[in-house]
């Protein structure tokens, strides 16, 4: 009001003389940090005071009180208003920065919480999927692996075996052992299915105790079990077959009756050189044929079918379903079996 009043009375110091520098100072208050606005205000006041005091560049000392008041008002405008505006702007900036930091901190906290929730849900989902996968590959009665597990696992095992065989040059055999409980139907018919289930569980425990790290036992179906044994020297195959047979026979079962088994063995690879060796499905067919040879010739024993110099694998796999006997008689296969394998059972004992 003082500046306006003075300017209206044709003072030495017209109101327009302060408009441009004051505008620049106000602009700097919004644009720059307060220190620069303060510096600009101080320089402007010093410049105006110096010019007025010296009477230079059209500036004259105030000749009367009104002009002095007006000059002081100009000084006040230059010195106080930009600084006040700068202080307010700076306070607002600091408030905005504080609010921004709080918003960032809250957002970071929410992100951490969300990531933790997502991680927990992901872990729970992975654990649930793992449990489902394990359950889908596990026999519920015995707790052993099932056929699905074998189908998923055996290709990797054979690939690893082939790499090791190429690296070491050893002629060890990966062994498939198909174990069938003898006369299991009699146990179910005589003592009930609960007793039969108990026998299956106890046989699975016996077989599990016999395997080494890297071996595994599979519930193949019904009263049949499949053991996949890591590579061993071929001369020890009969030893392993007899060890399995004896362990099942010597165990004391809750049903109170002896339990024996028949075992068919197959050695992978079937051929060490020359012909292409059959895949694991064909090796199981060989083990199955050896198993049924044992069952047809006394049970409570083991047998393994091996190739000869006359073996034609395509012919063998085609004719194997009719039984191993014809292939043995034609010299396509040779047989190694336990001493417990006796002549064929009398009529009425050829069932499972």
């Amino acid at each position: 009001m003082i500046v306006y009043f003075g300017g209206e009375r044709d003072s030495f110091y017209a109101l327009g003389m302060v408009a441009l520098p004051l505008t620049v100072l106000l602009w700097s208050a919004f644009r720059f940090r307060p220190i620069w606005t303060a510096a600009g205000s101080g320089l402007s006041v010093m410049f105006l005071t110096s010019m007025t005091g010296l009477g230079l560049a059209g500036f004259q000392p105030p000749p009367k009180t009104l002009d002095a008041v007006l000059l002081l008002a100009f000084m006040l405008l230059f010195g106080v208003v930009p600084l006040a505006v700068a202080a307010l702007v700076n306070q607002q900036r600091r408030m905005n920065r504080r609010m921004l930091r709080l918003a960032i901190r809250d957002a970071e906290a929410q992100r951490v919480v969300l990531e933790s929730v997502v991680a927990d849900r992901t872990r729970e989902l992975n654990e649930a999927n793992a449990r489902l996968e394990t359950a889908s590959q596990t026999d519920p009665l015995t707790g052993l692996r099932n056929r699905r597990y074998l189908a998923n696992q055996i290709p990797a095992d054979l690939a690893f075996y082939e790499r090791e065989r190429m690296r070491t040059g050893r002629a060890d055999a990966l062994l498939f052992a198909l174990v069938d409980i003898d006369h299991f139907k009699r146990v179910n018919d005589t003592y009930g299915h609960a007793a039969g289930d108990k026998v299956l569980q106890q046989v699975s425990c016996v077989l599990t105790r016999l395997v080494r790290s890297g071996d595994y036992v599979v519930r193949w179906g019904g009263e049949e079990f499949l053991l996949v044994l890591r590579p061993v020297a071929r001369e020890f195959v009969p030893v392993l077959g007899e060890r399995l047979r004896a362990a099942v026979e010597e165990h004391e079962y809750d049903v109170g009756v002896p339990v024996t088994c028949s075992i068919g063995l197959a050695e992978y690879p079937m051929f060490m050189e020359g012909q292409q060796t059959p895949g694991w499905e064909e090796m199981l067919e060989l083990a199955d044929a050896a198993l049924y040879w044992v069952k047809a010739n006394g049970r409570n024993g083991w047998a393994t079918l091996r190739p000869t110099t006359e073996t034609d694998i395509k012919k063998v796999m085609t004719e194997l379903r009719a039984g191993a006997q014809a292939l043995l008689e034609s010299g396509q296969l040779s047989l190694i079996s336990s001493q417990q394998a006796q002549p064929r059972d009398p009529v009425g004992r050829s069932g499972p």
Side-chain angles (χ1 to χ4, degrees):
M1 293 298 293
I2 295 174
V3 175
Y4 178 78
F5 180 77
E8 286 293 316
R9 280 157 177 71
D10 196 21
S11 169
F12 273 45
Y13 308 107
L15 183 60
M17 68 180 290
V18 77
L20 181 60
L22 183 60
T23 301
V24 173
L25 290 174
L26 291 176
W27 172 78
S28 71
F30 285 97
R31 181 64 179 82
F32 301 109
R33 297 175 60 185
I35 185 65
W36 297 112
T37 302
S41 297
L43 290 175
S44 298
V45 171
M46 289 176 60
F47 175 79
L48 186 59
T49 303
S50 299
M51 297 295 285
T52 303
L54 296 175
L56 300 176
F59 291 90
Q60 298 179 12
K64 52 186 178 181
T65 304
L66 178 61
D67 292 328
V69 171
L70 187 58
L71 181 60
L72 290 175
F74 286 163
M75 300 298 184
L76 185 64
L77 285 173
F78 278 111
V80 176
V81 173
L83 293 179
V85 172
L88 292 174
V89 171
N90 187 59
Q91 183 180 7
Q92 185 63 40
R93 286 174 178 169
R94 282 190 290 184
M95 185 178 299
N96 290 341
R97 286 196 294 267
R98 182 172 178 274
M99 293 177 65
L100 180 60
R101 285 196 297 270
L102 291 175
I104 292 174
R105 187 177 65 184
D106 291 343
E108 181 66 17
Q110 292 179 1
R111 183 187 65 81
V112 172
V113 172
L114 182 60
E115 287 182 352
S116 177
V117 171
V118 171
D120 291 342
R121 295 294 183 269
T122 301
R123 183 176 63 255
E124 292 172 359
L125 182 60
N126 290 336
E127 291 174 354
N129 288 337
R131 289 193 296 270
L132 288 174
E133 183 67 16
T134 300
S136 70
Q137 299 184 30
T138 303
D139 175 60
L141 177 63
T142 61
L144 300 176
R145 300 297 190 179
N146 58 19
R147 290 192 179 209
R148 181 177 179 183
Y149 174 84
L150 179 73
N152 292 335
Q153 182 66 30
I154 197 63
D157 291 342
L158 295 184
F160 176 78
Y161 166 77
E162 290 293 348
R163 290 194 300 270
E164 287 297 299
R165 186 166 69 92
M166 295 295 294
R167 184 179 65 85
T168 62
R170 298 182 61 179
D172 294 349
L174 186 75
L175 192 62
F176 295 94
L178 199 56
V179 179
D180 183 274
I181 300 175
D182 295 330
H183 304 297
F184 183 72
K185 187 175 183 299
R186 293 182 183 177
V187 175
N188 278 336
D189 293 344
T190 304
Y191 301 98
H193 289 281
D197 290 345
K198 192 68 175 178
V199 169
L200 291 173
Q201 291 170 338
Q202 291 182 289
V203 170
S204 71
C205 291
V206 171
L207 297 177
T208 301
R209 286 197 297 266
L210 291 174
V211 299
R212 305 160 294 174
S213 175
D215 303 338
Y216 49 89
V217 185
V218 174
R219 172 84 183 280
W220 195 239
E223 67 270 25
E224 288 187 341
F225 301 87
L226 174 66
L227 287 77
V228 181
L229 308 176
R230 65 187 182 186
V232 295
R234 293 178 186 267
E235 58 266 27
F236 291 120
V237 170
V239 176
L240 290 176
E242 179 58 26
R243 184 179 299 168
L244 292 172
R245 184 209 64 78
V248 172
E249 182 183 34
E250 293 169 2
H251 185 76
E252 295 184 5
Y253 296 89
D254 293 345
V255 293
V257 296
V259 175
T260 61
C261 68
S262 300
I263 305 170
L265 304 173
E267 303 159 54
Y268 180 91
M270 187 176 185
F271 304 100
M272 294 307 300
E273 57 185 17
Q275 297 190 54
Q276 182 177 0
T277 194
W280 67 272
E281 296 94 340
E282 289 78 13
M283 298 308 299
L284 291 182
E285 290 186 29
L286 282 170
D288 192 58
L291 167 66
Y292 277 92
W293 187 93
V294 175
K295 291 177 72 68
N297 290 274
R299 293 182 171 82
N300 192 21
W302 57 266
T304 181
L305 298 171
R306 287 179 171 175
T308 68
T309 56
E310 304 296 326
T311 299
D312 181 344
I313 191 58
K314 292 183 178 179
K315 181 178 180 180
V316 168
M317 299 313 301
T318 300
E319 299 180 4
L320 191 61
R321 302 189 182 200
Q325 191 61 43
L327 292 169
L328 292 171
E329 292 173 357
S330 66
Q332 288 287 326
L333 294 173
S334 63
L335 177 76
I336 299 178
S337 64
S338 61
Q339 295 180 351
Q340 283 77 15
Q342 302 297 326
R344 183 183 299 272
D345 283 355
V347 175
R349 294 193 59 195
S350 58

